[in-house]
Amino acid sequence: MTFKYSFTFPIAGPNKLPRFKQWAEQNVPGMPVSLPPQVPVKSEAMTIRLKSAEDRQKLSDRIHQAKL
């Protein structure tokens, strides 16, 4: 199965990938995501890949309530 859907969300500061991984483990456990290899510190957004539109909607609903 491939990651056909993308989701971009605001996230600022260093250590974006570890912070997102920790948040995802707590808030959407078991959701398969494909993360970029790295995200520049100066970047204020991150794009991840998801397998389904339902996963994208679920993540969107939960991430807008979070402070990453």
Side-chain angles (χ1 to χ4, degrees):
M1 189 180 246
T2 61
F3 293 90
K4 296 180 181 181
Y5 298 88
S6 65
F7 181 70
T8 302
F9 57 94
I11 183 170
N15 302 316
K16 291 173 184 66
L17 292 172
R19 285 189 292 143
F20 175 77
K21 286 179 188 178
Q22 181 181 22
W23 178 88
E25 288 174 3
Q26 295 171 357
N27 293 281
V28 286
M31 180 182 291
V33 297
S34 176
L35 299 173
Q38 60 184 337
V39 180
V41 172
K42 292 182 179 182
S43 175
E44 295 194 8
M46 185 167 76
T47 299
I48 61 172
R49 307 284 294 167
L50 302 162
K51 289 190 175 189
S52 70
E54 293 82 18
D55 285 348
R56 182 173 52 191
Q57 185 60 45
K58 182 178 177 182
L59 186 64
S60 175
D61 292 342
R62 294 192 180 179
I63 206 162
H64 288 300
Q65 301 168 359
K67 285 193 171 190
L68 293 172

